[in-house]
Amino acid sequence: MAIKRILIILTLGFTFLSSKAQDDIHGDPEVWFLLLNHYEINNKWTVGNELHLRRTDWFGDQKQYIIRPFVNFKPGEKVVYTAGYSYIEAEPYGECPLIAALPEHNVWEQVTVNQKLNQSLLSHRYRMEHRYQGNLIEESAGSGVRDGFQFSNRFSYRLTWKHPISDEIFIHAFDELWINLDGKMRQASYNQNWLYVGLGKNLKQGNIQIAYLHQHASSNGIVERHPSVQLTLQYDFKSK
């Protein structure tokens, strides 16, 4: 059943991306860096942080940075409950740039369900975000200022597959779909889809990964497709 579910999700995802291909406005290649840290309080509680640095047109322009602290509660081996906060700042970039840098305060909660499939690990992650995005007002042609914040929600589902090649090397792949929701969760619309395929190496207290990430995003009538390279460094601190 798990294999059938994966095939159905991937088929739907590729069908959707193919149907949207003719609408793409631009697709500059991007380079992303993720620093992920965990600190284990005990066998059930973990705190952590993510730092994302994202550049577009290869290294040409800053696109976005994110700081994302969070808390995990793991009552057993199969389920992890997480709550966190994200500060996100998006910079003007590409053919249809923002009129000013766009800040966002984002409070979120998620549930991750893990299951074994032979030697592989499958994870189903369900996240709900509550977003306070800067409301940009145009002052003059090509420039603007922020006037307060707008509230909305967003739901995402990520299907992850991890498979060991050896004791040190592993494959990591996922597909993630985002759905925009209004402040009252009544209106829903497609936001973006990510397809990630990477190779990782386990370290003493973490891992390092290099991956290809394909992004397909739609916002305010603008559709983007970005082939990207992502470098991830995970370092886990352990309590004594």
Side-chain angles (χ1 to χ4, degrees):
M1 291 299 292
I3 295 176
K4 289 183 179 179
R5 186 185 304 173
I6 294 171
L7 292 175
I8 290 171
I9 292 172
L10 292 178
T11 300
L12 291 174
F14 283 123
T15 301
F16 180 83
L17 295 180
S18 298
S19 68
K20 288 289 184 181
Q22 68 271 20
D23 297 329
D24 290 337
I25 292 177
H26 62 93
D28 294 331
E30 299 188 346
V31 177
W32 290 13
F33 173 72
L34 165 60
L35 175 62
L36 172 62
N37 298 119
H38 296 97
Y39 177 77
E40 183 184 87
I41 299 172
N42 54 43
N43 61 354
K44 291 187 177 181
W45 290 95
T46 305
V47 296
N49 185 64
E50 298 176 12
L51 174 64
H52 297 256
L53 301 175
R54 299 172 178 176
R55 299 193 68 85
T56 190
D57 193 15
W58 292 113
F59 290 96
D61 296 304
Q62 179 68 24
K63 177 181 180 180
Q64 194 177 60
Y65 71 84
I66 304 173
I67 299 173
R68 180 176 287 145
F70 58 87
V71 178
N72 287 330
F73 174 62
K74 186 178 181 181
E77 290 300 317
K78 292 186 177 181
V79 180
V80 182
Y81 301 97
T82 308
Y85 162 80
S86 304
Y87 175 75
I88 305 167
E89 185 161 307
E91 301 292 335
Y93 72 91
E95 297 179 13
C96 303
L98 297 166
I99 56 177
L102 178 66
E104 177 179 340
H105 300 280
N106 184 317
V107 179
W108 52 273
E109 58 275 342
Q110 72 181 31
V111 178
T112 305
V113 181
N114 300 311
Q115 63 182 112
K116 285 283 190 177
L117 183 63
N118 297 323
Q119 291 185 318
S120 300
L121 176 66
L122 287 180
S123 297
H124 307 272
R125 194 185 79 180
Y126 308 87
R127 175 181 289 180
M128 181 63 72
E129 303 175 4
H130 314 287
R131 313 174 71 192
Y132 296 86
Q133 295 175 287
N135 184 32
L136 299 181
I137 303 297
E138 188 169 8
E139 282 193 322
S140 59
S143 66
V145 295
R146 179 178 59 79
D147 181 19
F149 287 84
Q150 301 179 78
F151 175 70
S152 63
N153 298 285
R154 183 168 62 178
F155 172 78
S156 67
Y157 167 71
R158 174 185 288 190
L159 174 63
T160 300
W161 175 65
K162 288 185 178 180
H163 183 78
I165 298 176
S166 66
D167 290 339
E168 293 187 344
I169 307 300
F170 62 91
I171 299 171
H172 180 195
F174 69 75
D175 188 83
E176 185 164 8
L177 174 67
W178 279 264
I179 301 295
N180 282 330
L181 300 164
D182 64 11
K184 297 182 179 180
M185 297 191 183
R186 293 177 180 175
Q187 296 182 350
S189 62
Y190 168 82
N191 177 226
Q192 57 184 314
N193 183 270
W194 291 359
L195 180 63
Y196 173 106
V197 180
L199 192 65
K201 175 179 172 60
N202 290 316
L203 306 176
K204 186 176 180 180
Q205 290 183 229
N207 63 74
I208 187 169
Q209 299 178 44
I210 185 73
Y212 172 76
L213 173 65
H214 185 88
Q215 310 164 55
H216 187 282
S218 178
S219 178
N220 299 320
I222 299 171
V223 180
E224 305 177 30
R225 185 171 59 183
H226 298 279
S228 308
V229 176
Q230 178 168 316
L231 175 65
T232 300
L233 174 61
Q234 177 179 333
Y235 186 83
D236 299 331
F237 301 90
K238 295 185 180 296
S239 59
K240 293 182 180 179

